[in-house]
Amino acid sequence: EHPALDATRQGFEDGIKDLGIDGEIVYQNAQGDITIALSIAEKFVKDRVDLIYTIATPAAQAAKQATGEIPILFSAVTDPVVDELIESLERPGGNITGTSDKSPMEEQLALFKEIDSSIEKIGIVFNTSESNSKIQVDMAEEMGEMLGLEIISMGISNINDMPQAMDSLVKKVDGIYTITDNMVASAINVVSQKATSNGLVSVGAEEAHVAGGILISKGISYYELGRQTAQMAKEILVEGKSPANIPAQTSNKIEKTFNEETLKTLNLDINSNIFKDAKKID
């Protein structure tokens, strides 16, 4: 559980209600344990539910392993093709489709230079056991090269290692970029505090990171991603469509947000153009 994934769930549940779908929602949380996720999915199959909604890659993979018949929708999966959940975005195939939380990374990384043109080295800390995270680090390295930014990544396998990893990383970089990584999201206050106390500009992949102290983001709303997926649920449950024929989607809403307290701590100008069109988070 963390704010982004909780928001995805809330958006889906609100969307289901607003669309007038009369159904019971049974909520289970595996707390990041893939074995428990599989047990939950198998129980849903045994109970013959009408649809399984999964949040994040491990849950989606567990559900896919548990059934090839019950419709499955996923949210908060960065690259469902690479993770072998679907055949392609346009033609998912099988019994699964959903929404990706892939963020506009190139635009996010470009924010560093817009804020301070002297920034050259960007640090990323990530969970080594999360496939989504490695995908994003690879993308950042490729895009960073095009933008004149060197990406310095540091992988960890345990959330307790975050403070030490950040203490090491902040000595090597000019800025911190937080990707959509569940472990990073759970420790976002540690990441933001370490960055800000060392005078580093930080850019996040989504709004919840900014709420946790990261300076700025130009990213998706996980709540809206959940609502978007609810519309796909309606297509399956009400209109009788097969997931195989419903293209997987990326977020249709992008928003820029900034943390006012972090901005002040870094002595940045709130009247700068980069902040003028952004939503302020106290």
Side-chain angles (χ1 to χ4, degrees):
E1 293 172 329
H2 62 70
L5 301 188
D6 293 345
T8 308
R9 173 194 169 197
Q10 191 62 56
F12 182 79
E13 293 186 358
D14 289 351
I16 290 291
K17 293 175 184 176
D18 292 346
L19 290 166
I21 299 173
D22 184 16
E24 177 188 1
I25 296 176
V26 180
Y27 169 65
Q28 296 288 331
N29 192 319
Q31 300 296 343
D33 188 314
I34 189 64
T35 302
I36 297 176
L38 184 56
S39 296
I40 291 170
E42 289 173 344
K43 178 67 165 54
F44 286 161
V45 174
K46 184 179 179 181
D47 292 343
R48 301 177 67 181
V49 300
D50 298 295
L51 181 143
I52 299 175
Y53 174 55
T54 67
I55 302 174
T57 304
Q61 291 171 329
K64 184 178 181 182
Q65 184 176 336
T67 179
E69 297 179 2
I70 295 174
I72 299 169
L73 285 174
F74 59 77
S75 278
V77 173
T78 300
D79 196 327
V81 177
V82 170
D83 286 324
E84 299 182 346
L85 292 172
I86 58 177
E87 295 173 10
S88 70
L89 294 179
E90 297 77 16
R91 297 181 180 275
N95 63 320
I96 182 168
T97 187
T99 55
S100 165
D101 63 353
K102 188 174 182 180
S103 57
M105 185 178 289
E106 186 172 355
E107 294 179 51
Q108 292 170 352
L109 290 172
L111 293 173
F112 284 105
K113 289 287 190 181
E114 291 182 48
I115 295 170
D116 184 348
S117 60
S118 68
I119 291 177
E120 295 180 345
K121 296 181 179 180
I122 304 301
I124 299 176
V125 62
F126 70 99
N127 181 0
T128 55
S129 62
E130 195 168 329
S131 59
N132 274 345
S133 301
K134 186 62 172 68
I135 290 169
Q136 291 177 82
V137 171
D138 291 343
M139 289 171 55
E141 289 175 350
E142 182 179 341
M143 293 178 183
E145 189 174 346
M146 294 187 294
L147 295 168
L149 297 170
E150 178 186 354
I151 303 299
I152 298 175
S153 61
M154 183 168 293
I156 60 174
S157 57
N158 190 301
I159 196 169
N160 295 324
D161 296 332
M162 186 67 76
Q164 184 177 353
M166 284 299 300
D167 284 339
S168 175
L169 193 58
V170 295
K171 298 173 184 176
K172 306 173 183 178
V173 299
D174 309 314
I176 295 292
Y177 177 55
T178 54
I179 59 176
T180 54
D181 176 299
N182 293 327
M183 188 179 292
V184 171
S186 298
I188 197 65
N189 292 325
V190 174
V191 177
S192 63
Q193 188 275 328
K194 296 288 186 182
T196 304
S197 64
N198 283 274
L200 300 180
V201 168
S202 55
V203 175
E206 51 101 0
E207 182 178 323
H209 293 184
V210 177
I214 295 299
L215 173 62
I216 191 169
S217 175
K218 187 176 183 181
I220 70 170
S221 162
Y222 276 83
Y223 177 80
E224 293 299 334
L225 193 70
R227 291 186 66 90
Q228 192 174 330
T229 319
Q231 181 61 50
M232 301 171 81
K234 181 182 179 183
E235 294 181 47
I236 294 169
L237 297 171
V238 179
E239 301 172 19
K241 293 183 180 179
S242 167
N245 299 323
I246 302 175
Q249 303 171 15
T250 54
S251 175
N252 53 26
K253 283 197 174 184
I254 302 296
E255 187 172 43
K256 188 190 289 185
T257 56
F258 74 94
N259 187 298
E260 185 175 30
E261 184 177 341
T262 302
L263 181 146
K264 290 178 178 177
T265 302
L266 294 173
N267 293 316
L268 296 172
D269 183 4
I270 197 170
N271 295 313
S272 173
N273 287 334
I274 195 168
F275 301 114
K276 282 184 178 179
D277 61 343
K279 181 176 76 174
K280 179 174 64 176
I281 294 178
D282 297 325

